[in-house]
């Protein structure tokens, strides 16, 4: 005869998985960077398609800034420095920043 006694664990541990804090990458408008250069950076660094990069560039142009992507702190900071490096190399004042999402 099989033993039907259920062996229940004395304690049940709830898995505590911390969600990583998310950061948004912002694109800032300026008066000097050509629109085509902004679109190029969005395509190359953020792997955005032609329509999305055009839309994000135009939003920053009209509103002053635009969220490009929301991701982990690590990725956000890497993307910002890659984008800023391209701008610096080209001698343009184009600005990207990363900040924690509320
Ligand atoms: N305002 C720039 C121009 O008129 C274009 C531009 C758009 C620059 C978006 C930065 O984030 C930016 N040439």
């Amino acid at each position: 005869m099989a033993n039907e006694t259920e062996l229940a664990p004395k304690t049940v541990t709830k898995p505590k998985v911390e969600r990583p804090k998310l950061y948004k990458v912002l694109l800032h408008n300026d008066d000097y960077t050509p629109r085509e250069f902004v679109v190029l950076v969005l395509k190359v660094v953020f792997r955005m398609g032609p329509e999305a990069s055009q839309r994000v560039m135009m939003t920053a142009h009209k509103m002053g800034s635009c969220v490009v992507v929301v991701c982990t702190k690590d990725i956000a900071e890497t993307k910002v420095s890659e984008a800023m490096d391209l701008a610096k190399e080209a001698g343009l004042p184009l600005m990207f920043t990363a900040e924690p999402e509320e």
Side-chain angles (χ1 to χ4, degrees):
M1 256 283 190
N3 183 355
E4 306 275 329
T5 311
E6 282 238 350
L7 290 174
K10 287 213 176 84
T11 55
V12 179
T13 336
K14 235 204 229 161
K16 220 191 255 170
V17 181
E18 295 283 320
R19 220 188 284 278
K21 198 180 201 176
L22 292 179
Y23 278 64
K24 50 188 180 185
V25 172
L26 294 167
L27 164 67
H28 301 273
N29 188 36
D30 67 72
D31 292 338
Y32 301 102
T33 306
R35 294 180 186 196
E36 305 73 49
F37 186 85
V38 181
V39 168
L40 179 84
V41 172
L42 292 172
K43 285 177 177 168
V44 170
V45 175
F46 297 93
R47 300 172 175 281
M48 296 178 79
E51 290 88 9
S53 49
Q54 186 72 21
R55 195 170 57 238
V56 165
M57 180 279 293
M58 280 312 292
T59 302
H61 177 71
K62 289 179 187 161
M63 311 293 288
S65 65
C66 183
V67 175
V68 181
V69 69
V70 175
C71 53
T72 61
K73 185 172 195 265
D74 243 40
I75 294 171
E77 285 171 352
T78 303
K79 294 288 172 193
V80 166
S81 80
E82 283 175 9
M84 299 285 285
D85 284 351
L86 288 180
K88 272 176 233 154
E89 251 172 62
L92 293 165
L94 184 61
M95 269 266 290
F96 286 85
T97 57
E99 62 177 61
E101 206 193 34
E102 303 88 84

